[in-house]
Amino acid sequence: TLIYPNLGEPITRSASSELPFYFTLYGTLDGVKASAELLRNGQRLAEAPIELPPSPRSPVQHIGRFPIGALPGGTCQLRIRVNNDRQEIARTAFFTIRD
């Protein structure tokens, strides 16, 4: 589950310098790694690992923030990637930054 940064309204840089996000993981979570990426036109602008609890039990809920103050205006994509040794799952949300 992803909570989108907003309901489609552009994010004004003067109102917020961070992009909040939330997701929930379900299932067997041993050996799971997660990361957050910001992309523009398919090009990665930034990436950060997401620390999960050391002994994750399902479900795991995570709230995070990504700094967006240095990003240029326009439409970007937040991608959350979760993987283990066997598979990877990614979910995305688009957002627009205005000066």
Side-chain angles (χ1 to χ4, degrees):
T1 302
L2 278 178
I3 289 186
Y4 292 88
N6 57 38
L7 298 174
E9 297 296 319
I11 297 170
T12 305
R13 197 181 324 270
S14 61
S16 179
S17 63
E18 293 183 320
L19 176 72
F21 62 91
Y22 166 87
F23 64 87
T24 302
L25 299 175
Y26 296 94
T28 304
L29 302 174
D30 291 331
V32 170
K33 296 178 185 172
S35 64
E37 299 174 316
L38 292 178
L39 300 105
R40 178 186 213 115
N41 298 323
Q43 304 256 334
R44 186 180 307 142
L45 300 174
E47 180 178 17
I50 296 172
E51 286 193 40
L52 298 174
S55 297
R57 296 186 186 269
S58 181
V60 169
Q61 297 175 324
H62 181 81
I63 297 173
R65 287 182 247 163
F66 223 116
I68 58 170
L71 293 178
T75 301
C76 294
Q77 179 181 9
L78 170 67
R79 178 167 51 193
I80 304 298
R81 297 172 65 171
V82 179
N83 61 58
N84 61 18
D85 293 334
R86 297 178 311 275
Q87 70 182 49
E88 177 175 294
I89 297 173
R91 298 291 184 263
T92 62
F94 288 89
F95 62 98
T96 303
I97 300 172
R98 285 200 184 148
D99 291 325

